[in-house]
Structures are given as structure tokens and as C-alpha cells.
Amino acid sequence: MANRRNLKKQINLICEELFVDFVAASLYGNAPNRFETETILHSIAKLQKNYISRISHQEPGMPAKVYFKDLKEKFSKEVCEIVDLINFL
């Protein structure tokens, strides 16, 4: 259980950092329109909620090691996409 708890903490920390980076980029960069701002904020919140809930409910029939490796890879991919959106602002 400690590994799941640590994974949840790491996901929360990464999402918090994404939020802070987004706020800094929106305040000090060019003024993005409201739709882009809401879309990025919504995607960060959705990312955090989705992956935290997926940690607690593992897919049946899939080995834990494979499931969590896949989960980490997909999370990293989505984080990179959000970082690219923030950098595009």
C-alpha cells in the first residue's frame, strides 16, 4: 500500500507543479484567451482526478507490474502534452 500512496503523492505534486507553471505562464506571458485558459485548467484537473482514481482500481486480470508501468507511461505522455500547451501560450 505504501507504493500506491507514494504514487498518488507524486501525481498530486506533478499536477500542482503543472498548475503553478500554468499560472506563471499566463500571468507573465502573452494574455491567452479565456477559452484556452479554461481548457488547460480543466485538463490538469481531469488528469489528476483520472489517474488518482485509476491507482485505487486496478484492471482485473492484468498483472500489477504491467498495469502500473502502463499507467505511468500514459501519465507521462499526458503531462508532456499539457506542458507543450503551456509552452505554446
Side-chain angles (χ1 to χ4, degrees):
M1 282 303 191
N3 289 335
R4 288 184 183 194
R5 182 177 19 190
N6 289 336
L7 186 58
K8 286 181 182 182
K9 285 181 182 180
Q10 290 174 350
I11 288 174
N12 282 327
L13 286 173
I14 291 170
C15 290
E16 288 174 11
E17 288 294 323
L18 281 175
F19 180 76
V20 169
D21 289 343
F22 171 72
V23 169
S26 65
L27 288 176
Y28 298 114
N30 297 335
N33 66 17
R34 183 178 171 97
F35 179 73
E36 289 177 351
T37 304
E38 289 178 358
T39 302
I40 294 173
L41 287 176
H42 180 67
S43 64
I44 293 171
K46 186 178 174 183
L47 175 78
Q48 183 178 12
K49 181 181 176 187
N50 183 24
Y51 281 93
I52 293 294
S53 67
R54 286 179 59 188
I55 290 172
S56 299
H57 303 289
Q58 182 180 341
E59 289 184 24
M62 186 179 234
K65 189 173 186 176
V66 174
Y67 177 75
F68 287 111
K69 182 178 179 182
D70 182 54
L71 183 101
K72 290 177 187 178
E73 289 173 358
K74 288 180 181 178
F75 179 74
S76 295
K77 181 180 174 187
E78 288 189 36
V79 166
C80 289
E81 290 174 1
I82 292 174
V83 168
D84 289 341
L85 287 174
I86 292 171
N87 288 335
F88 186 67
L89 292 177

